[in-house]
Amino acid sequence: PHNSFMLQVLCRYRHIWNIDLRFRPAFLGGIMQQTGNKPPAMLPKRGEYMLKDMKRMAKYYQVPVHMSADDFKRIIGTSSLTAMRFITAVDMTNPQYLEPLSREFWMRFWSQHEDISQPEDILAVARQAGVSAELSQKALEMISSPTVKDRLKETTAEALKHGAFGMPAVVAHYDGKPHLFFGSDRLELLGSVIGEKWLGPVPS
């Protein structure tokens, strides 16, 4: 859910901070494996804390997240690789749908607690995001192609190169160099680095 907090708030700040916001689909499983990282909820005490913290953050960021201990098991047991390849295929063919598609995948998985791993789930998400049946089918057919697989590997490798070890990861290109920020609670710091003022999670 931290990805969505970051996504929603950066979208809210896009014009306030005058930033060129680009979504880069990367595979979290690959990042975790390459860096030896583990899901936070695998540590029981941290899992307990995260459940409480999610409620506070959902209220603060005004993003609809509802989580229980059972959801952690569901999340760890669900592969997002097919969904990420589909998002990558859409990014390569119709990038204008990348943002709404990312939001809809998030809503289905985190807020509605529905599956995102099967082709019929992916097509349902695409339909909700306004992607035509024709474009969705084309993207679905592309997910097993070397072109899409390589593109997802490339963006994942790029995230690792910038120092990512989990998600959400934001790379701000400012003053001639990249700055990595990890976690949805680093937005105020991001603003500070790029010389912009933090106006809270829902700037008016």
Side-chain angles (χ1 to χ4, degrees), residues 5 9 12 57-63 184-185 187 198 201-202:
F5 298 145
V9 177
R12 292 168 191 167
M57 292 182 80
K59 188 176 176 185
Y60 177 69
Y61 286 111
Q62 295 185 30
V63 174
S184 55
D185 57 348
L187 290 159
W198 172 248
V202 188

Side-chain angles (χ1 to χ4, degrees), residues 86 90 101 104-105 121-132 136:
F86 180 82
V90 169
L101 190 63
E104 288 301 332
F105 266 112
D121 304 314
I122 288 168
L123 291 173
V125 170
R127 195 163 53 246
Q128 281 293 112
V131 185
S132 73
S136 299

Side-chain angles (χ1 to χ4, degrees), residues 186-200:
R186 288 293 179 269
L187 290 159
E188 191 171 349
L189 190 59
L190 166 61
S192 172
V193 166
I194 65 172
E196 295 285 357
K197 193 174 169 60
W198 172 248
L199 304 167

Side-chain angles (χ1 to χ4, degrees), residues 43-55:
L43 185 67
K45 280 292 174 194
R46 192 167 179 192
E48 282 174 35
Y49 171 79
M50 274 185 74
L51 277 177
K52 293 173 187 168
D53 208 37
M54 280 305 149
K55 288 177 187 171

Side-chain angles (χ1 to χ4, degrees), residues 65-141:
V65 180
H66 316 285
M67 282 190 74
S68 68
D70 289 339
D71 289 320
F72 282 142
K73 292 172 193 162
R74 177 181 64 91
I75 291 154
I76 290 166
T78 301
S79 172
S80 64
L81 182 57
T82 306
M84 291 311 299
R85 283 180 179 160
F86 180 82
I87 291 170
T88 300
V90 169
D91 184 32
M92 292 170 78
T93 54
N94 296 274
Q96 71 272 25
Y97 291 114
L98 184 57
E99 188 178 321
L101 190 63
S102 300
R103 286 177 191 269
E104 288 301 332
F105 266 112
W106 180 87
M107 283 296 291
R108 185 177 177 91
F109 192 61
W110 291 104
S111 199
Q112 297 159 1
H113 298 179
E114 292 180 43
D115 200 1
I116 57 162
S117 63
Q118 301 305 310
E120 59 270 24
D121 304 314
I122 288 168
L123 291 173
V125 170
R127 195 163 53 246
Q128 281 293 112
V131 185
S132 73
E134 187 186 352
L135 292 179
S136 299
Q137 199 57 50
K138 184 185 171 191
L140 201 59
E141 286 163 11

